[in-house]
Amino acid sequence: MKTWIIPLSMLVLSANVQAAERYAYAKVKQVTPIYETVLVSSAPERVCYPTRQRHDATPTVVGAIIGGAVGHALGHSSSNKKVGMVAGAALGGAIGHDVGRNGYREVCEMRPGTQRRIRELTGYDVTYKYKGELYHTVTQRHPGKRLKVKINVRPAFY
């Protein structure tokens, strides 16, 4: 029964030795930034602003006619009817003018989003030297003067 424990423990020990990771540092020889052109779009936006409406003369004219008719109807004698008609027309015209004047109102419109191209830094093209050999990789961050490398030693033939 104990005969299988020794080979099993040797297998576990050899697996742990092979799985141990070792690191070293390589000298960085060249670093070149990598840029990519990206299209950036902004969302459409709703823009509102006040605008002046043009004045319509129709309410002034209608107000004057109605005011004149009311003033004429309220007058008792012919001279009062004439004065009432003129006063009613003036008052009705002024009221119609105020009703017809809309002034300012808010106008809203959708404006399309804008698009522009920007250059975005996406990484670094790195050439480094380890044990007299040149290697090449791409990193997300600038590596500085030294680059940490993983040492991996495995048997060549099995």
Side-chain angles (χ1 to χ4, degrees), residues 60-123:
T60 305
V61 173
V62 171
I65 292 171
I66 292 172
V70 170
H72 185 270
L74 292 178
H76 294 294
S77 64
S78 82
S79 64
N80 279 346
K81 287 188 183 280
K82 288 179 187 175
V83 171
M85 183 174 68
V86 170
L91 183 61
I95 291 171
H97 178 75
D98 288 344
V99 168
R101 184 175 39 177
N102 294 327
Y104 292 93
R105 71 181 180 105
E106 187 175 59
V107 175
C108 296
E109 61 185 31
M110 289 300 288
R111 291 197 179 156
T114 58
Q115 290 185 337
R116 60 189 172 103
R117 296 184 187 280
I118 61 168
R119 283 183 62 198
E120 188 175 80
L121 180 66
T122 58

Side-chain angles (χ1 to χ4, degrees), residues 2 10 12 14 17 29 35 40 47 52 62 75 77-78 81-82 98 110-111 116 119-120 129-130 136 138 146 154:
K2 291 186 180 185
M10 294 297 283
V12 170
S14 67
V17 170
K29 291 298 198 178
Y35 291 98
V40 178
V47 178
R52 186 174 175 93
V62 171
S77 64
S78 82
K81 287 188 183 280
K82 288 179 187 175
D98 288 344
M110 289 300 288
R111 291 197 179 156
R116 60 189 172 103
R119 283 183 62 198
E120 188 175 80
K129 189 174 191 176
Y130 179 72
H136 182 79
V138 174
R146 301 183 321 155
R154 286 185 275 159

